[in-house]
């Protein structure tokens, strides 16, 4: 059993503080940024930035569904971390200045403790594809949200 890590990095339009605010807007921008395999999304507490709690169902495969209940923290001024209360799943969203004016770089890093054995082999092989797609969709949709 080893840790699995998936990193997605994309440049998006907007100043870092604006993009980070959209990522942390769990009542608004984030509620419409999820891909189709995320359902039953709801805000359990807060709704803006650190201290928020969110929940949703992640349909990883046809048979594998994961119930996520995450608490949000902000360990650094440019970072939000969503930590699942039911597992080791953690997603860190870091927003920094991009290469050009009015550009930001969003880095989503998702980690979790993977399973062992043959199930772990399939998890290490296929789960990163789904997580990469999920985080890319969130970044792309956050980039198009109008303030």
């Amino acid at each position: 059993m080893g840790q699995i890590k998936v990193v997605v990095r994309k440049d998006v339009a907007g100043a870092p503080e604006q993009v980070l605010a959209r990522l942390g807007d769990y009542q608004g921008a984030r509620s419409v940024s999820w891909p189709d395999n995320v359902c039953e999304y709801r805000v359990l507490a807060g709704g803006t930035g650190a201290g928020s709690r969110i929940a949703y169902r992640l349909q990883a495969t046809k048979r594998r569904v994961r119930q996520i209940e995450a608490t949000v923290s902000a360990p650094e001024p440019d970072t939000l971390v969503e930590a699942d209360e039911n597992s080791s799943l953690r997603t860190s969203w870091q927003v920094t200045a991009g290469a050009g004016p009015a550009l930001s770089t969003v880095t989503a890093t998702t980690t979790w403790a993977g399973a062992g054995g043959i199930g772990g082999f399939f998890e290490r092989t296929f789960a990163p594809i789904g997580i990469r797609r999920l985080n890319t969709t969130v970044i792309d949709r956050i980039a198009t949200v109008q303030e």
Side-chain angles (χ1 to χ4, degrees):
M1 177 153 78
Q3 185 178 60
I4 300 173
K5 180 178 181 179
V6 179
V7 178
V8 173
R9 183 172 289 116
K10 288 193 81 172
D11 285 336
V12 299
E17 52 279 347
Q18 294 170 324
V19 174
L20 187 65
R22 282 185 243 148
L23 280 168
D25 180 10
Y26 294 97
Q27 293 280 12
R30 280 301 288 281
S31 68
V32 296
S33 68
W34 297 103
D36 294 339
N37 63 327
V38 171
C39 62
E40 298 177 20
Y41 172 82
R42 61 200 181 285
V43 175
L44 303 175
T48 305
S52 295
R53 287 185 55 239
I54 58 173
Y56 56 91
R57 280 180 11 131
L58 173 61
Q59 186 84 39
T61 66
K62 287 182 182 178
R63 288 182 269 160
R64 182 144 168 79
V65 177
R66 178 176 256 179
Q67 183 65 42
I68 307 291
E69 286 191 25
T71 300
V72 180
S73 63
E76 302 290 332
D78 63 353
T79 304
L80 291 172
V81 176
E82 299 165 5
D84 183 22
E85 298 171 8
N86 301 317
S87 71
S88 61
L89 184 73
R90 305 281 180 270
T91 299
S92 170
W93 301 91
Q94 183 180 41
V95 183
T96 56
L103 278 180
S104 295
T105 299
V106 179
T107 304
T109 305
T110 301
T111 59
W112 69 96
I118 191 72
F121 168 78
F122 286 106
E123 181 180 24
R124 287 186 303 279
T125 303
F126 297 108
I129 295 167
I131 294 296
R132 197 170 290 111
R133 187 175 306 134
L134 185 150
N135 289 346
T136 298
T137 299
V138 169
I139 294 170
D140 288 345
R141 290 183 178 174
I142 283 296
T144 63
V145 170
Q146 299 299 314
E147 295 182 63

